[in-house]
Amino acid sequence: MSHPILPLAERRRLREKQIKKHQLANLLTHWFNVAMWLMLLPTGIAIISSPRLALSPAIMQEMFRNLFGGTANLIRFHYSVGLFWIFVLAFNVLIGFRKYFIPFSRERLLLTRDDIDWLKIKPMQMLGLMKDKPLPPQDAYNAGQKLYMYAVILGTLGIMVSGVVMTFHTVFPPALIQWAQPVHWVSVGAVVAGLIIHVYMGAVFPEEKEAFFSMFSGKVSAWYARAHHEKWYWEKVREELEWEEKVTVEVEAEARAHEAAAPGAD
Amino acid sequence: MTEFSRRDFLKLSGVTMGAVMLNQFLPPPVAEAARRAGQIAADGDGYLTTMCEMCVWRCGVRAKVSKGRVVKLEGNPDHPHSLGKLCARGQSGIMTTYDPDRVLYPLIRVGQRGEGKFRRASWEEALDLVAGKMQEIKDKYGPEAMVFSSTHNLSQVQFENLLSGYGSPNYGTQRSLCFNSMVTAFLLTYGIEEPARNYDNVKYILLVGRNLTEAISTSETTALMDAVARGAKLVYLDPRFTKTAAKATEWIPIRPGTDSAFLLAMIHVIVTERIGDCDFVQQHVLGCEDLPTAMAEYTPEWAETKTGVPADTIRRIAREFAAAKRFALAHPGWRTSNFINSFQTERAIATLNAIVGNVFEPNGCLIASSPEAGGVPLGKPPQPPYPRTAAQRLDGVPWKYPLVPLKLGVFQEMRDAILTGQPYQARGWFIARQNPVQSLPDRARTLEAMGKLDFIVAIDVILNDTAWFADVVLPEASYLERYDPLAVVGGKIFIRQPVIEPQGEGRSALWIYKQLGQRLGLGDYFQYADEEDYLRQQLAPLGLDLEQLKQKGYVEPPPKADGGETKDYVFNTPTGKIEVYSDTLAKAGFSGWPTWEEPPAPAPGEFYLLTGKVAQHTQFATQNNQYLHKVQDDPRLWMNVDKAKGMGLSDGDLVEVASSVGKVNVRLLATQAIRSDCVYMTPGFGHVSKGLNTAYGVGASSSVLHLTFTDPISGGQALSQTCVTVKKA
Amino acid sequence: MATKKRYGFVIDVSRCIDCRACLVACSVENQVGMKYTRIWVRDLGVKGDYPHLERTFVPYNCMHCDNPPCTQVCVSGATYKDADTGLVLVDQEACIGCGYCVDACPYSARYLDRERGVVDKCTGCIQRLQVNQQPACVATCVGRARMFGDLNDPNSEASLALKNADTVQRLDYELPDGTHTGPNVYFINGEVMDPAVLPREPKYTTAETAWRRLLIPAVVAGIGLSFLGQATFFTKQLLEGEKEFEE
């Protein structure tokens, strides 16, 4: 990654300066998802017991069935948690539709020309090629993260719709239930494939260390923002300057008004 | 106080709802009593013993009860008729009780007859109306203007009390449509109504159209299958390859109506070759010396021309039958081939059993001592003698049918007398648990006869086809909801008792008859406080306890003091012998010997219309049972496949079947399993009552097609003597 | 699969009269919906040339196979072979009613109850077995054609009937993988090898086939690639230290 070399003092300032990246609501939703996935993924895998598909080890099935007191209870737990997950997520989206969901979608789903370029160069660089080619500046989320979000959103929809079909199997035709199972499975597969990268990048990859902590604090350093999400960084800076401008104007106006209100007091 | 508000609430919530609530909130007496007796657990689950009523074989039943509902029926292993098993009909019994089409409260007609428009009435109003109408008819036209009819059931004794106390001689039963020929023949030959069969040692069984695996009598069917599995030979005569034929060692597709020729030829072979049980015959059979002469003309060669069965086959079977002497069985059946000559067929069966000694005691295959009475002297509530009736019976017994026993009657003749008004006009008809619209031959004529009447009242659990045309319908409690008088089987006394509360306002027949009797001033014929009191009075002379009976389902009466083991072969006939030659018959102007009567032959292009039974239904009564509906075959008209091909018909075609009195449309079953000179129609279908939502519109009724043919000796209706044409509909 | 007990049916074909008491008894006992049945009597039809006719009735239900193909396809684990009794059972609380097993059963002995959204089949009336009662169909069999018992116990009624039988037939079926279903219903004293009762090839639904053949490889590949990529970086990170990434 090629960044212009900055003076040390400037670098320190940037590292110390914190910029707010995540809203609290988004943070909570993220960790809620993590919790749900931790409960749903293992139980889901343990449920799939068709020897013909051979998708989960017998010992795991046995363990989980014993743990939950039988197949039916295991399934009941899985769909109860699943329904809760659907409910909370749907609730969050509906309640925060304008405040959070629209900005969130814009940040995470709109692919710009820069994103496309990034997608052309980044994978090559990860394989050690095109090292000298500059990466186009990225928004709050880079194109890789945006792509992952597509997988997550489509996958989540697939999981939820097929899950609802299976949960309420008395009202849906058998053909739908027959297809819901592979759809559920393949949707989970798609998310999990992305999740492996997501977790690695977020929690292990040193360059993205700040991203990990930002999922608790909601903030990243200006340095990190400038390096990884340049576009967004300058946008933030612009916003900050605008704000400062505005505040300055307001303060000056206030001072002037104050003077005008008490002309003869002094 | 709470009791009151609950009741008020119940009134508001409608009948069905009310019944459900009642079961939930008020401790139901049936369950409560059973719980106290320790028969069902505190949580409401357990078994209660009672008796089946899905047919007249009356198996013992153990009813599984759970939370005030009966959930499963099992055969009672202690009952000789069930031995732990129930047939399809018995198993389906809970659906007869929980049939959504049940009549749950008294109904009074508001529309035209047959329109099916009724209004709900209270018992008080309905009973007052019925008693009022009956009294009016009695006052205006005399008691004989009211006809009564009912089919074999345990409460029949009180029905007979009602009509006899009322003073009517006119009583119709199903008997003449069923077993008149058999009962009359055996009364005249052995002096008993229906000999019991014993399969314990049987080696050779001859079934003359007795389709035991489809017309099931549970324990007897099981015994037959046991005997066949043991290696007994089963020879089966029937124009149709029935399921019994499929199990038989030998099926003989005999020409319809010629069974007696086959049997007479067998007798001929046995007596001319002297291969019967000669000792037995000489001692106990009247007419044995002259039998060879009387049978001289009935050679197997002669029989071949009548029956279509090769003479050699007949000869061989006769010899095999005789060789199994004492351990052979020619089954009396109910009505064999259902022709006018069925009486002669039954006489021949009685003779055949006698001459090879099958009736020897105690181990013979045909038991000539009546099994039902069993020598158990049950008590009965006291009652005054019946009033004398001067009027002639409308059914012609005995003035037109001198040999028909009074209790059998000639039902179809009674119907015709209602229609013609001869010798006098009937005005009212009281029908209990019977469906003459379906069961009597020539439905059009039955409906026409009903049109002649001022008043018709029917008692049933569902709106059967006859109730559909009635003016008042009284809802009976189903057999799982009521008491009936006790029954004696195999020397033991068995009980039918309620295992659940009645649905809606259904009441027992004992209660209904008593209520009517009281309103008609006949209270003295109904001297019992309630059903249990009736049963106690039955048990009183034996010193037996009702509670014990209820608990166990049966009691064994104490052994009789005189023991009576000296079984001397004395038959209840005028001579005390088996009357192969009957003087009674001869004096009445009929042949004293079993004899050949030529059946009518179908005209070219016509077929005999055969009737029969299926194992999933009882007569005309069970087609609305959803469980039986579920497992039944589609009702069809069977026709020989080659014959059908010749007529351009194929399997599944809708065909029009027509006789001289009616026509119906039905689907064709083209099969090898029937002779080409006859067709067979699945019985019991073609219901006209729209109150039967499951059965209505399914199949066709053979009653529409049947002509009325009455045997002058036994009064039996010859159902298979009707000929029909068949063409594509 | 070897089980402690091996409950099975022995059917004396010569004794079945097709009265269907068993069908009604089963439906009532198990509250089977009016459109369905758990057990059957298969009619092999009227055969032969008039008047030498034959007709055989074959009582029929789940074979409670040693190696049941139905349990192989059940995704939720609702269908299982009970280790104590050897009966093949459906845990209807766990069943989601997809019907994979219905298609897979070579004996067509299962059905999908659309009203309840679950698969149903013969259970050998295990609820009766637990209180020492014979299955409803066996208890009421008018012709004594149906027998039931532990085939591992040489003295059970079923084992004895099997031992004394004139002929014994079993509708065994070789599955595509070379194993046998090993049915635990034995037909004695009669010929039942007829197209009306012979097992059919197990069918697998398109969904199940697509899942197994297409989607499993695809997802395995996807996850595999993703894992591989992540592993490559991790290895690189370990080998080269974190310095490289620091500016």
Side-chain angles (χ1 to χ4, degrees):
Chain A
M1 280 163 238
S2 53
H3 300 291
I5 303 301
L6 294 175
L8 188 66
E10 175 66 359
R11 275 158 72 178
R12 185 169 295 131
R13 190 187 68 82
L14 285 177
R15 277 195 198 272
E16 274 163 14
K17 188 183 174 197
Q18 294 287 301
I19 302 180
K20 183 162 185 194
K21 190 179 180 198
H22 304 296
Q23 305 272 18
L24 181 62
N26 291 351
L27 285 184
L28 288 176
T29 305
H30 173 263
W31 290 112
F32 172 73
N33 278 337
V34 172
M36 293 299 111
W37 272 88
L38 283 176
M39 287 196 273
L40 291 172
L41 190 61
T43 50
I45 291 171
I47 287 169
I48 310 179
S49 49
S50 158
R52 232 171 95 83
L53 297 172
L55 289 175
S56 85
I59 181 110
M60 181 180 175
Q61 294 173 33
E62 177 105 18
M63 204 179 78
F64 271 79
R65 277 167 173 68
N66 290 341
L67 195 66
F68 284 85
T71 310
N73 283 339
L74 178 62
I75 292 174
R76 272 192 207 107
F77 174 82
H78 186 78
Y79 72 62
S80 303
V81 173
L83 290 177
F84 179 67
W85 181 48
I86 292 174
F87 175 78
V88 171
L89 233 50
F91 182 84
N92 286 0
V93 166
L94 286 177
I95 290 295
F97 195 76
R98 292 192 68 161
K99 197 169 174 206
Y100 300 110
F101 191 70
I102 291 178
F104 172 83
S105 312
R106 199 185 296 132
E107 274 181 355
R108 304 226 51 171
L109 295 175
L110 277 180
L111 285 174
T112 61
R113 178 158 294 279
D114 286 339
D115 290 327
I116 308 284
D117 288 342
W118 188 90
L119 280 177
K120 284 180 191 158
I121 300 164
K122 182 71 182 175
M124 293 296 140
Q125 290 191 345
M126 286 176 82
L127 292 171
L129 303 165
M130 293 189 187
K131 277 281 185 195
D132 48 342
K133 202 138 192 205
L135 274 171
Q138 290 293 295
D139 224 327
Y141 295 94
N142 67 38
Q145 288 170 311
K146 285 182 183 176
L147 273 195
Y148 170 60
M149 197 36 71
Y150 273 102
V152 167
I153 289 186
L154 290 178
T156 302
L157 280 176
I159 291 167
M160 288 179 172
V161 169
S162 56
V164 163
V165 166
M166 289 189 282
T167 304
F168 302 101
H169 54 94
T170 45
V171 297
F172 293 103
L176 215 55
I177 299 163
Q178 288 176 3
W179 280 102
Q181 297 176 81
V183 166
H184 201 71
W185 189 81
V186 86
S187 305
V188 172
V191 177
V192 167
L195 207 59
I196 291 171
I197 307 285
H198 175 75
V199 170
Y200 174 71
M201 286 293 184
V204 187
F205 194 54
E207 206 178 320
E208 299 283 346
K209 229 181 246 170
E210 280 213 42
F212 178 73
F213 292 110
S214 80
M215 287 319 290
F216 299 99
S217 64
K219 287 173 184 159
V220 287
S221 71
W223 167 255
Y224 170 85
R226 215 185 107 145
H228 294 256
H229 306 282
E230 215 178 325
K231 252 189 195 172
W232 173 70
Y233 171 72
W234 290 120
E235 176 71 25
K236 281 274 165 190
V237 170
R238 197 178 52 79
E239 273 174 22
E240 219 165 274
L241 288 176
E242 265 173 23
W243 182 79
E244 271 173 28
E245 181 96 348
K246 199 175 142 209
V247 170
T248 320
V249 169
E250 273 172 15
V251 168
E252 280 173 4
E254 210 170 289
R256 252 181 273 119
H258 191 73
E259 276 169 30
D266 292 49
Chain B
M1 195 58 211
T2 41
E3 185 81 9
F4 247 92
S5 52
R6 263 186 210 148
R7 283 188 191 284
D8 290 345
F9 175 63
L10 286 184
K11 271 182 200 157
L12 292 170
S13 55
V15 210
T16 329
M17 196 55 191
V20 175
M21 302 295 247
L22 200 68
N23 274 340
Q24 284 177 354
F25 292 129
L26 307 173
V30 171
E32 185 55 36
R35 202 169 294 133
R36 251 184 273 130
Q39 283 163 288
I40 60 181
D43 61 1
D45 285 14
Y47 286 91
L48 291 168
T49 310
T50 185
M51 213 187 291
C52 190
E53 201 190 41
M54 295 301 290
C55 80
V56 293
W57 189 245
R58 290 189 203 107
C59 288
V61 165
R62 290 178 73 232
K64 188 177 181 192
V65 184
S66 177
K67 295 170 188 72
R69 278 181 75 85
V70 52
V71 293
K72 178 75 176 42
L73 304 175
E74 309 277 342
N76 180 359
D78 296 331
H79 194 292
H81 282 182
S82 46
L83 301 173
K85 298 180 181 299
L86 292 176
C87 71
R89 300 161 298 168
Q91 285 289 350
S92 76
I94 71 166
M95 194 46 86
T96 291
T97 285
Y98 295 124
D99 192 332
D101 293 339
R102 270 287 291 278
V103 181
L104 295 174
Y105 34 80
L107 298 176
I108 294 176
R109 178 170 63 83
V110 290
Q112 294 295 307
R113 265 198 199 145
E115 237 186 349
K117 286 188 184 152
F118 296 92
R119 70 175 169 85
R120 180 185 171 176
S122 68
W123 268 109
E124 205 65 26
E125 184 191 4
L127 290 167
D128 286 347
L129 177 66
V130 173
K133 283 281 183 187
M134 286 171 75
Q135 194 62 49
E136 192 186 313
I137 288 169
K138 189 177 184 175
D139 294 344
K140 249 167 124 174
Y141 309 105
E144 65 273 15
M146 187 83 203
V147 301
F148 292 77
S149 69
S150 131
T151 288
H152 211 43
N153 66 79
L154 289 174
S155 287
Q156 209 164 11
V157 52
Q158 283 305 317
F159 186 73
E160 287 162 7
N161 250 357
L162 182 69
L163 69 98
S164 302
Y166 179 86
S168 175
N170 293 312
Y171 179 30
T173 67
Q174 89 292 359
R175 291 159 186 152
S176 65
L177 307 176
C178 184
F179 53 60
N180 264 33
S181 56
M182 185 268 287
V183 170
T184 313
F186 275 84
L187 275 174
L188 286 166
T189 316
Y190 290 177
I192 62 158
E193 288 181 9
E194 184 201 345
R197 287 74 60 195
N198 173 13
Y199 294 84
D200 290 349
N201 308 303
V202 74
K203 288 180 190 152
Y204 201 94
I205 306 160
L206 181 65
L207 297 179
V208 185
R210 177 70 175 95
N211 186 5
L212 247 175
T213 69
E214 291 186 89
I216 289 180
S217 300
T218 315
S219 58
E220 186 170 1
T221 303
T222 307
L224 174 76
M225 294 313 293
D226 286 347
V228 172
R230 269 200 317 270
K233 185 165 182 184
L234 173 58
V235 176
Y236 180 67
L237 307 187
D238 200 314
R240 215 160 47 94
F241 186 75
T242 62
K243 289 172 187 173
T244 305
K247 295 292 153 188
T249 330
E250 196 167 346
W251 169 53
I252 295 171
I254 193 165
R255 183 176 293 149
T258 65
D259 307 64
S260 57
F262 185 97
L263 299 166
L264 290 168
M266 279 181 73
I267 298 171
H268 170 94
V269 172
I270 292 169
V271 295
T272 50
E273 297 184 4
R274 299 183 66 82
I275 50 176
D277 188 339
C278 295
D279 291 349
F280 184 88
V281 172
Q282 272 164 10
Q283 276 177 30
H284 306 296
V285 177
L286 180 72
C288 62
E289 305 82 11
D290 300 327
L291 195 55
T293 329
M295 296 294 125
E297 58 180 303
Y298 304 132
T299 61
E301 285 69 23
W302 164 84
E304 181 177 338
T305 64
K306 301 293 176 193
T307 59
V309 183
D312 286 347
T313 306
I314 302 175
R315 197 169 272 119
R316 172 175 55 78
I317 289 172
R319 287 173 185 159
E320 287 171 1
F321 189 79
K325 71 182 71 157
R326 295 199 164 195
F327 300 108
L329 170 64
H331 197 295
W334 296 114
R335 51 195 179 186
T336 68
S337 54
N338 239 321
F339 277 73
I340 282 185
N341 68 18
S342 286
F343 172 78
Q344 297 301 341
T345 310
E346 293 289 358
R347 285 267 292 155
I349 290 172
T351 304
L352 205 49
N353 280 306
I355 59 175
V356 299
N358 296 339
V359 285
F360 86 97
E361 305 236 357
N363 294 318
C365 296
L366 202 64
I367 300 158
S369 58
S370 173
E372 286 299 325
V376 179
L378 282 175
K380 194 178 187 292
Q383 62 179 70
Y386 298 126
R388 291 177 70 90
T389 11
Q392 283 182 310
R393 280 169 64 128
L394 287 175
D395 68 0
V397 181
W399 53 276
K400 193 170 168 191
Y401 300 104
L403 293 181
V404 176
L406 287 173
K407 67 179 279 193
L408 298 189
V410 186
F411 194 19
Q412 65 275 26
E413 186 79 18
M414 188 169 101
R415 186 267 324 266
D416 289 351
I418 295 171
L419 188 62
T420 59
Q422 296 302 324
Y424 51 85
Q425 183 60 55
R427 305 286 171 173
W429 193 353
F430 193 130
I431 303 156
R433 300 191 197 163
Q434 199 180 42
N435 194 357
V437 169
Q438 281 282 72
S439 63
L440 280 169
D442 199 345
R443 181 195 279 171
R445 218 197 297 193
T446 308
L447 290 176
E448 207 184 323
M450 289 172 83
K452 295 262 173 175
L453 297 165
D454 301 339
F455 183 66
I456 301 169
V457 53
I459 297 181
D460 214 310
V461 294
I462 48 171
L463 260 187
N464 76 35
D465 309 273
T466 305
W468 186 252
F469 290 94
D471 302 314
V472 179
V473 183
L474 302 178
E476 196 182 9
S478 85
Y479 73 96
L480 296 170
E481 300 166 339
R482 64 157 197 261
Y483 285 106
D484 269 325
L486 303 171
V488 177
V489 183
K492 292 177 190 164
I493 302 165
F494 286 89
I495 187 172
R496 173 174 295 135
Q497 59 179 335
V499 301
I500 48 164
E501 288 301 293
Q503 313 288 294
E505 294 177 8
R507 301 304 295 257
S508 74
L510 285 178
W511 182 86
I512 298 172
Y513 300 152
K514 178 182 158 77
Q515 292 295 318
L516 286 172
Q518 284 173 333
R519 282 170 172 74
L520 288 161
L522 305 172
D524 286 353
Y525 294 95
F526 300 91
Q527 294 187 38
Y528 48 94
D530 55 19
E531 295 90 341
E532 289 198 13
D533 182 42
Y534 189 97
L535 269 52
R536 282 202 187 88
Q537 295 190 51
Q538 283 194 289
L539 290 173
L542 299 161
L544 293 169
D545 178 33
L546 179 62
E547 293 310 313
Q548 191 196 336
L549 175 57
K550 281 165 71 175
Q551 176 96 36
K552 212 173 155 193
Y554 70 91
V555 282
E556 239 165 319
K560 264 180 289 177
D562 56 81
E565 277 310 303
T566 49
K567 256 288 182 199
D568 216 5
Y569 292 99
V570 177
F571 295 91
N572 193 19
T573 53
T575 56
K577 287 188 165 191
I578 292 176
E579 297 195 346
V580 165
Y581 175 81
S582 166
D583 208 31
T584 317
L585 272 170
K587 278 193 181 128
F590 303 110
S591 165
W593 295 103
T595 188
W596 169 246
E597 290 169 9
E598 188 81 29
E606 287 191 338
F607 300 87
Y608 286 114
L609 175 65
L610 305 186
T611 187
K613 293 276 167 282
V614 289
Q616 294 79 35
H617 285 298
T618 299
Q619 317 292 14
F620 317 93
T622 58
Q623 286 75 21
N624 207 56
N625 184 303
Q626 294 183 18
Y627 280 123
L628 296 177
H629 182 81
K630 173 177 164 178
V631 301
Q632 80 198 15
D633 289 328
D634 275 346
R636 299 267 199 111
L637 183 85
W638 291 31
M639 185 189 277
N640 182 279
V641 62
D642 298 329
K643 185 79 187 177
K645 214 174 285 169
M647 292 173 67
L649 299 170
S650 47
D651 196 53
D653 281 353
L654 191 68
V655 292
E656 182 190 276
V657 191
S659 74
S660 60
V661 298
K663 56 187 171 193
V664 296
N665 286 354
V666 62
R667 297 243 167 248
L668 189 78
L669 178 78
T671 172
Q672 283 209 83
I674 189 165
R675 285 172 61 94
S676 55
D677 55 359
C678 47
V679 289
Y680 158 84
M681 214 163 121
T682 313
F685 291 90
H687 289 274
V688 291
S689 166
K690 289 177 188 152
L692 306 172
N693 283 298
T694 302
Y696 180 75
V698 180
S701 168
S702 50
S703 309
V704 173
L705 304 169
H706 280 145
L707 275 69
T708 312
F709 292 116
T710 303
D711 168 19
I713 305 176
S714 71
Q717 155 70 19
L719 283 172
S720 293
Q721 213 159 298
T722 295
C723 292
V724 293
T725 56
V726 180
K727 63 174 187 191
K728 212 165 200 159
Chain C
M1 182 176 148
T3 50
K4 210 183 288 172
K5 287 186 173 172
R6 189 163 60 94
Y7 278 108
F9 289 85
V10 174
I11 310 273
D12 188 336
V13 177
S14 71
R15 279 172 157 261
C16 177
I17 56 174
D18 191 26
C19 71
R20 302 171 206 170
C22 52
L23 268 67
V24 181
C26 172
S27 281
V28 177
E29 170 72 35
N30 299 297
Q31 288 156 32
V32 176
M34 283 301 163
K35 287 188 206 154
Y36 310 107
T37 179
R38 284 183 177 186
I39 66 174
W40 297 265
V41 178
R42 299 261 161 89
D43 181 353
L44 303 191
V46 179
K47 292 183 177 165
D49 295 316
Y50 180 93
H52 303 288
L53 302 178
E54 273 180 21
R55 193 175 179 187
T56 306
F57 308 105
V58 185
Y60 199 88
N61 47 261
C62 171
M63 303 280 152
H64 299 284
C65 302
D66 286 334
N67 177 31
C70 54
T71 60
Q72 295 289 311
V73 296
C74 181
V75 177
S76 71
T79 276
Y80 63 101
K81 186 158 176 73
D82 188 63
D84 289 335
T85 59
L87 295 169
V88 175
L89 302 173
V90 180
D91 179 353
Q92 291 182 335
E93 301 285 316
C95 174
I96 63 163
C98 69
Y100 286 180
C101 58
V102 174
D103 281 12
C105 173
Y107 305 98
S108 302
R110 308 174 145 244
Y111 69 92
L112 194 53
D113 185 331
R114 292 291 300 275
E115 280 69 34
R116 293 191 295 141
V118 291
V119 163
D120 205 4
K121 65 179 286 293
C122 163
T123 61
C125 282
I126 191 158
Q127 72 279 14
R128 292 172 64 100
L129 211 56
Q130 282 157 354
V131 290
N132 284 323
Q133 288 177 333
Q134 289 272 291
C137 59
V138 173
T140 210
C141 181
V142 174
R144 293 196 223 271
R146 282 179 169 272
M147 283 161 279
F148 180 83
D150 180 6
L151 298 170
N152 281 348
D153 170 7
N155 294 318
S156 71
E157 191 199 1
S159 295
L160 290 174
L162 210 51
K163 206 174 81 184
N164 299 325
D166 292 337
T167 62
V168 178
Q169 289 183 337
R170 203 161 78 126
L171 301 173
D172 197 8
Y173 184 76
E174 190 182 333
L175 295 163
D177 65 0
T179 60
H180 288 253
T181 53
N184 281 308
V185 174
Y186 291 81
F187 298 95
I188 63 170
N189 304 337
E191 177 58 48
V192 300
M193 294 299 172
D194 183 278
V197 293
L198 284 179
R200 58 168 169 80
E201 198 182 326
K203 282 182 283 185
Y204 300 103
T205 51
T206 327
E208 203 256 1
T209 310
W211 188 355
R212 200 167 46 88
R213 294 254 174 86
L214 225 65
L215 301 177
I216 291 182
V219 169
V220 166
I223 293 183
L225 273 177
S226 157
F227 185 80
L228 214 68
Q230 159 302 112
T232 317
F233 269 83
F234 191 59
T235 321
K236 206 167 150 192
Q237 180 188 335
L238 288 178
L239 289 178
E240 300 178 6
E242 299 190 359
K243 288 254 167 40
E244 208 224 335
F245 302 96
E246 297 286 335
E247 290 284 334

